[in-house]
Amino acid sequence: MAVLIRTSDLPAARRHAAWRGIVCDTLGPLDLRIDPDAPLRGEIEFGKLGAVGVGRIKTSTPHSVHRTSGLIRRDNPELYRVVLTLSGSPRLSQDGRNTQLSRGEFAIYDFSRPYELAYDSAVRLAVFSFPRDQLAVSADAVAELAALPIGAGSGAAALAVPLLRRVALDHETYQPGSAARLSTVVTDLVGAAVAERLDQARSLPADARQRTLLLEVHTFIEQRLGDLDLDPAAVAAAHHISVRYLHRLFESENTTVAAWIRQRRLERCRADLISGGAGSVSAVGARWGLPDAAHFSRLFRQAYGMPPAEYRRAHNVR
């Protein structure tokens, strides 16, 4: 993600004009309203995640950004925007709704209709842009939910919020292939969160529902790797699906549910073994759901080419 402007690098006399120019060049024609006498402090970064635009905005200067009818007539790309609050309390307004977003909440809004995004104090925001036709929910559904807060309470939003935050913070570390796949995940989860917020999850296309469900399953497994009762039957029951359907979901991963659980457990064990301070080898295995020391050693050797104790020694951890 490229730093497009850092106001501390510019003479004070140029900051307002430079900030306005960067915002309009990267986020589209917008009307910025800032007290000309207020000292402007902030930073804007921007990058691409496949077809998704990703930006980070940090500022301590109160001001507002307006998308007016006149600007829409001048230039009207078919885009949705999502703003995620990393810190502070921005205010988003569209279609007569006004929302004060709290940390960890996001909202969706339509770039083809007037809106206002205002900051009364210091904020850090992540802003995502994507073509409207990539979101697997109807325009009417988005219009009904525009500028309303979506928090990470449960369901798809509980996955979407940490993913959006992670993507915004780690964007520059992704390889092109991973970025393209992640852009699909981002739009799927945002669409699922919007649909759930309106109780329309069943209206999502089948492939989007399946991808979202698979992400939920992955998260469920990751949080319970140390549970000895974690198996395909437990995973299926927790998600109110049959074991047969769960196995169908994992066909796209080219693995089985049991193999995925085993792989994730071994990877957690491997990370503990090379991190230091993780206890004995048998304690590491037991921590991640592999309490039989001989079985753990055999699985680890098959996966990494040497027994866990030897692997630890090879990585100079005592």
Side-chain angles (χ1 to χ4, degrees), residues 238-297:
H239 293 84
H240 310 291
I241 58 177
S242 68
V243 173
R244 182 178 180 181
Y245 184 69
L246 178 66
H247 285 306
R248 282 178 53 198
L249 286 176
F250 272 77
E251 288 176 359
S252 64
E253 305 286 291
N254 295 316
T255 188
T256 65
V257 185
W260 178 272
I261 293 171
R262 183 169 61 249
Q263 173 192 336
R264 296 306 304 144
R265 281 173 165 164
L266 288 171
E267 183 55 28
R268 288 295 189 94
C269 291
R270 187 196 68 81
D272 274 4
L273 289 170
I274 64 176
S275 68
S280 67
V281 167
S282 60
V284 169
R287 180 181 302 121
W288 296 113
L290 297 168
D292 184 321
H295 181 59
F296 169 43
S297 181

Side-chain angles (χ1 to χ4, degrees), residues 7-313:
T7 56
S8 59
D9 295 338
L10 298 171
R14 291 180 49 204
R15 290 175 185 171
H16 284 236
W19 185 271
R20 187 182 307 273
I22 290 296
V23 167
C24 291
D25 287 346
T26 57
L27 300 179
L30 294 164
D31 178 20
L32 272 69
R33 301 174 189 177
I34 310 174
D35 182 345
D37 297 323
L40 179 59
R41 299 184 180 90
E43 183 175 306
I44 297 175
E45 300 172 83
F46 188 79
K48 294 287 286 184
L49 184 79
V52 177
V54 184
R56 289 198 300 255
I57 301 170
K58 177 173 65 176
T59 180
S60 59
T61 304
H63 64 286
S64 59
V65 177
H66 301 255
R67 178 78 167 152
T68 65
S69 298
L71 292 173
I72 292 169
R73 285 193 296 271
R74 185 190 311 172
D75 177 55
N76 188 25
E78 296 289 306
L79 295 176
Y80 287 134
R81 286 265 162 81
V82 166
V83 58
L84 170 68
T85 306
L86 302 176
S87 67
S89 300
R91 185 181 70 256
L92 178 63
S93 304
Q94 188 168 66
D95 296 340
R97 289 185 290 269
N98 298 283
T99 293
Q100 197 89 30
L101 293 171
S102 300
R103 180 179 179 182
E105 290 182 330
F106 73 91
I108 190 169
Y109 52 104
D110 191 338
F111 196 65
S112 67
R113 300 204 308 279
Y115 71 84
E116 175 187 352
L117 184 59
Y119 329 125
D120 296 327
S121 57
V123 295
R124 289 190 305 121
L125 308 174
V127 180
F128 302 83
S129 306
F130 46 87
R132 291 175 61 173
D133 60 8
Q134 287 197 1
L135 198 67
V137 292
S138 69
D140 289 342
V142 175
E144 188 175 343
L145 195 62
L148 291 180
I150 301 175
S154 61
L159 297 174
V161 169
L163 176 65
L164 291 172
R165 182 186 300 113
R166 193 77 266 160
V167 165
L169 296 177
D170 291 348
H171 170 271
E172 59 273 13
T173 67
Y174 303 127
Q175 297 298 317
S178 298
R181 289 188 292 271
L182 269 175
S183 69
T184 300
V185 174
V186 166
T187 53
D188 281 345
L189 281 179
V190 169
V194 169
E196 287 181 358
R197 183 74 158 75
L198 294 170
D199 294 326
Q200 294 182 350
R202 293 184 182 274
S203 69
L204 290 172
D207 58 344
R209 290 202 308 272
Q210 288 179 354
R211 288 194 297 265
T212 300
L213 178 57
L214 185 58
L215 286 167
E216 292 175 354
V217 167
H218 284 174
T219 301
F220 178 87
I221 290 172
E222 202 71 22
Q223 293 172 343
R224 292 163 178 80
L225 289 173
D227 185 350
L228 296 181
D229 295 325
L230 182 67
D231 61 13
V235 175
H239 293 84
H240 310 291
I241 58 177
S242 68
V243 173
R244 182 178 180 181
Y245 184 69
L246 178 66
H247 285 306
R248 282 178 53 198
L249 286 176
F250 272 77
E251 288 176 359
S252 64
E253 305 286 291
N254 295 316
T255 188
T256 65
V257 185
W260 178 272
I261 293 171
R262 183 169 61 249
Q263 173 192 336
R264 296 306 304 144
R265 281 173 165 164
L266 288 171
E267 183 55 28
R268 288 295 189 94
C269 291
R270 187 196 68 81
D272 274 4
L273 289 170
I274 64 176
S275 68
S280 67
V281 167
S282 60
V284 169
R287 180 181 302 121
W288 296 113
L290 297 168
D292 184 321
H295 181 59
F296 169 43
S297 181
R298 182 167 59 255
L299 290 177
F300 194 95
R301 181 168 189 162
Q302 289 173 354
Y304 302 108
M306 62 182 73
E310 184 179 339
Y311 188 92
R312 170 180 268 179
R313 288 192 297 271

